[in-house]
Amino acid sequence: MKSHGLVLMLALAALAQPARATAEEDGGQARLRLVEGGVALQRPDEAGSEEARGNVPFLPGDRLWSDAGGRAELQFADGSVLRLDRRSKLDYLEADARRSPTVVTLSLWSGSLYLHVPPDRRRSDYLVETPDGRVDVSESGTYRVDVEERETRVAVLEGEALLDGERSVRVESGEIATL
């Protein structure tokens, strides 16, 4: 009798996997590469959160946040690396692989992120939504986005980004702009 319950549980678990596997196959795959200090991960189908660990998938619908001592590093399928700083909250909204290149949409509610998009023909475009507007990264480069009280600041260390808020502003390499 106990073995039937185990078989049923394994069968249900196998049925639940295809939706998340499909997101990974569609170019939306990312993984937590490194976790330092207090970082929590919440899956879209779970009410609570869990302590984030390295080498676990980070997929559309997931939420990640760090406390005063926490940091995380994510790597996307295209080789892009995102570092989430202390006291930050990030949602992975979607990865649209129907577009070429794939468009990864993230939402930074608070805190800071650093995004490095390598020069590669397989690279994705990144949209970072904030409470003040949106940052559109459609070329390789290195970017920093900070969300503080009623202000979003974008620094383009290398590359070019488009800020969309009350007005649209193109930010080039070496420039900083505020929404």
Side-chain angles (χ1 to χ4, degrees):
M1 189 69 164
K2 287 184 183 179
S3 65
H4 291 298
L6 180 60
V7 170
L8 179 61
M9 189 169 65
L10 290 173
L12 289 173
L15 290 174
Q17 292 301 319
R20 296 202 50 94
T22 300
E24 291 181 21
E25 294 163 3
D26 287 344
Q29 181 177 358
R31 71 179 178 93
L32 280 159
R33 225 165 71 160
L34 174 72
V35 176
E36 263 181 28
V39 179
L41 174 65
Q42 183 176 8
R43 303 290 184 189
D45 52 353
E46 296 177 12
S49 64
E50 61 190 64
E51 184 178 329
R53 298 180 324 272
N55 208 31
V56 298
F58 185 64
L59 300 169
D62 289 349
R63 172 173 283 174
L64 193 63
W65 66 89
S66 57
D67 64 16
R71 293 185 198 178
E73 185 174 273
L74 304 152
Q75 183 171 19
F76 291 86
D78 69 351
S80 295
V81 174
L82 183 147
R83 292 187 184 117
L84 192 65
D85 206 1
R86 296 177 174 106
R87 293 188 175 108
S88 299
K89 181 177 171 185
L90 179 74
D91 288 348
Y92 190 169
L93 299 179
E94 71 175 333
D96 188 353
R98 296 171 299 190
R99 296 173 53 185
S100 181
T102 297
V103 177
V104 173
T105 305
L106 305 164
S107 183
L108 182 65
W109 293 96
S110 60
S112 301
L113 69 77
Y114 169 92
L115 176 65
H116 176 73
V117 181
D120 187 339
R121 63 176 188 215
R122 309 176 297 126
R123 77 169 170 71
S124 298
D125 286 350
Y126 291 85
L127 294 176
V128 180
E129 296 180 355
T130 74
D132 305 302
R134 187 171 88 178
V135 181
D136 185 348
V137 173
S138 57
E139 65 176 61
S140 62
T142 306
Y143 309 87
R144 182 176 172 114
V145 181
D146 298 293
V147 175
E148 296 173 359
E149 289 183 34
R150 294 178 277 160
E151 181 177 276
T152 296
R153 188 174 48 257
V154 177
V156 177
L157 306 171
E158 196 176 275
E160 186 175 279
L162 179 65
L163 272 63
D164 243 343
E166 291 179 7
R167 57 183 169 54
S168 290
V169 177
R170 186 160 300 283
V171 187
E172 298 180 1
S173 186
E175 296 180 339
I176 298 172
T178 303
L179 285 172

